[in-house]
Amino acid sequence: MSSPAVAVQLSEAEMRLLQALVYQECGMYFDARRTHFLQDRLQRRLRECRLDSFYSYYRLLISDEGRDELSRLLEDLTVNETSFFRNKAQMNLFHKHILDETIRRKEQGRDYQIRIWSAGCSTGQEPYTIAMLTADALAYHQLRSNASGDASWPKPLIPPPGRVEVPASDINYSVLRAGQEGIYSENQMASVDYSYRLRYFDKVGDRYAIKKSLKEVVHFDFHNLKTEFLPQRNDIIFCRNVMMYFDEAEQRRLIEKFYRCLMPGGYLLVGHAESLLGLTDRFTMVYRDNGTAYQRIEVEP
Ligand SMILES: C[S@@+](CC[C@H](N)C(=O)[O-])C[C@H]1O[C@@H](n2cnc3c(N)ncnc32)[C@H](O)[C@@H]1O
């Protein structure tokens, strides 16, 4: 079919069909403020597919042959804005209090595995920030408690017997590839101070590559938060600036899933413009120095 020269009309009914399909597939909800964005992306995809009606495009998306196109559409609809050390106050709360408490609690239980999931990780700045801060917190904890008199050099990134895993997931394959690559421009490094640059990055030309030892801690994988098959047994979950694109019903469902994906006493950290208030009574809010997090409430048996 030839590529149409003028924009194809999108009827109300077609819009509703496509909106419902996107919602059903990934939970993203396009309200009146965001329908313009949705329309623009749909027009773009229609042109790429060289189709002449949105109904044919819808038919393609729901067919077996249309699975790749559906992934492409969802990628075009996601907002991937992110940065290292995003929301400094919250990162401080995570570093100074949540990690400290988690490390102590785990040590008491002789469980040395810490798992922190970055759900909706975009191009990797969030999970790598989590990994850097966790490595620092563990090194500091070891220094303070002097648990091992081990003077070996070079020191491992995660001092034994600690084990840290940062699963990082997204619905967008392009951002997952970028995260896996772990190479960032000077602009993307703006919020990374020199002590972090020196310890956790190698300079490659005019860009910065995440060091191998840090990369080994972060595992990128595709996960659609709309589904039930999500990483389990997390001590902490970061899901920031993702829920804001979902409607209230989907937010409630996601919070329930996060509750189940967390270990007892675990923490959930959401974005600056997001909140759990009024959506659940399964978490209690923790607030310190402008940083906010939510801790899982345990019910007595
Ligand atoms: C604005 S970015 C936030 C990145 C990072 N969490 C931060 O706060 O800097 C939102 C990310 O959520 C992802 N996303 C949106 N819907 C999703 C879904 N249903 N499942 C998994 N990831 C999703 C997008 O692809 C995008 O990379």
Side-chain angles (χ1 to χ4, degrees):
M1 210 158 286
S2 67
S3 172
V6 286
V8 175
Q9 279 300 312
L10 173 61
S11 71
E12 276 282 323
E14 287 166 331
M15 181 66 166
R16 272 201 299 275
L17 268 180
L18 288 157
Q19 240 168 344
L21 179 64
V22 169
Y23 179 69
Q24 177 199 311
E25 287 295 323
C26 71
M28 271 190 284
Y29 176 73
F30 289 85
D31 61 13
R33 285 168 303 148
R34 297 187 71 231
T35 44
H36 185 75
F37 175 76
L38 177 59
Q39 272 173 9
D40 178 75
R41 298 303 148 105
L42 286 170
Q43 287 285 0
R44 205 194 277 182
R45 292 307 319 151
L46 195 81
R47 275 197 302 276
E48 283 279 319
C49 295
R50 298 172 174 271
L51 291 171
D52 58 7
S53 88
F54 282 100
Y55 187 63
S56 339
Y57 184 60
Y58 172 76
R59 295 293 302 261
L60 170 69
L61 293 177
I62 59 170
S63 68
D64 283 346
E65 312 83 77
R67 294 307 299 173
D68 286 351
E69 177 52 30
L70 182 59
S71 299
R72 229 160 282 144
L73 171 66
L74 297 185
E75 287 197 4
D76 273 12
L77 292 175
T78 58
V79 176
N80 307 119
E81 188 190 326
T82 187
S83 57
F84 286 106
F85 297 93
R86 187 175 193 179
N87 191 344
K88 278 244 163 70
Q90 189 183 42
M91 281 301 181
N92 275 338
L93 171 68
F94 164 66
H95 189 197
K96 303 262 158 55
H97 303 286
I98 297 178
L99 266 179
D100 194 56
E101 187 213 288
T102 305
I103 294 169
R104 284 166 195 273
R105 185 161 34 88
K106 292 239 139 189
E107 205 174 52
Q108 274 165 15
R110 297 197 163 278
D111 170 9
Y112 299 104
Q113 169 86 39
I114 298 180
R115 199 172 153 88
I116 307 170
W117 175 25
S118 166
C121 63
S122 191
T123 39
Q125 288 90 327
E126 180 178 275
Y128 287 129
T129 302
I130 295 169
M132 289 188 271
L133 293 175
T134 308
D136 276 10
L138 280 167
Y140 181 60
H141 181 77
Q142 195 183 48
L143 198 71
R144 251 186 341 186
S145 60
N146 198 20
S148 120
D150 177 16
S152 62
W153 193 262
K155 294 234 175 288
L157 183 76
I158 308 297
R163 271 172 294 135
V164 175
E165 217 185 314
V166 181
S169 67
D170 206 283
I171 200 179
N172 181 328
Y173 285 105
S174 323
V175 297
L176 286 170
R177 277 194 296 273
Q180 181 66 61
E181 200 186 16
I183 299 180
Y184 299 96
S185 67
E186 190 67 62
N187 270 351
Q188 289 172 306
M189 294 290 289
S191 50
V192 184
D193 75 29
Y194 278 85
S195 79
Y196 286 100
R197 291 186 192 207
L198 286 169
R199 286 178 298 143
Y200 296 115
F201 294 83
D202 290 317
K203 189 93 193 278
V204 182
D206 57 355
R207 301 200 297 164
Y208 291 81
I210 301 281
K211 277 195 194 290
K212 187 167 169 277
S213 51
L214 192 74
K215 249 184 165 181
E216 282 167 0
V217 171
V218 180
H219 304 284
F220 290 92
D221 206 353
F222 177 95
H223 278 291
N224 183 350
L225 294 170
K226 178 84 187 188
T227 71
E228 296 295 329
F229 305 103
L230 298 172
Q232 300 292 311
R233 303 183 60 78
N234 301 283
D235 298 294
I236 302 164
I237 299 175
F238 281 73
C239 184
R240 306 190 305 166
N241 308 299
V242 181
M243 277 193 338
M244 61 199 280
Y245 300 108
F246 296 179
D247 70 348
E248 195 180 308
E250 200 52 52
Q251 289 181 3
R252 283 179 192 274
R253 278 193 285 273
L254 186 56
I255 293 165
E256 254 322 290
K257 286 190 251 183
F258 283 151
Y259 185 89
R260 294 195 296 270
C261 290
L262 276 170
M263 297 291 278
Y267 288 89
L268 172 62
L269 285 76
V270 299
H272 188 59
E274 298 163 333
S275 164
L276 264 56
L277 294 181
L279 295 176
T280 178
D281 53 9
R282 311 260 263 165
F283 287 85
T284 180
M285 192 170 105
V286 181
Y287 178 82
R288 266 188 198 204
D289 302 328
N290 290 325
T292 306
Y294 296 88
Q295 186 172 25
R296 202 183 113 132
I297 296 174
E298 302 311 317
V299 268
E300 296 296 323

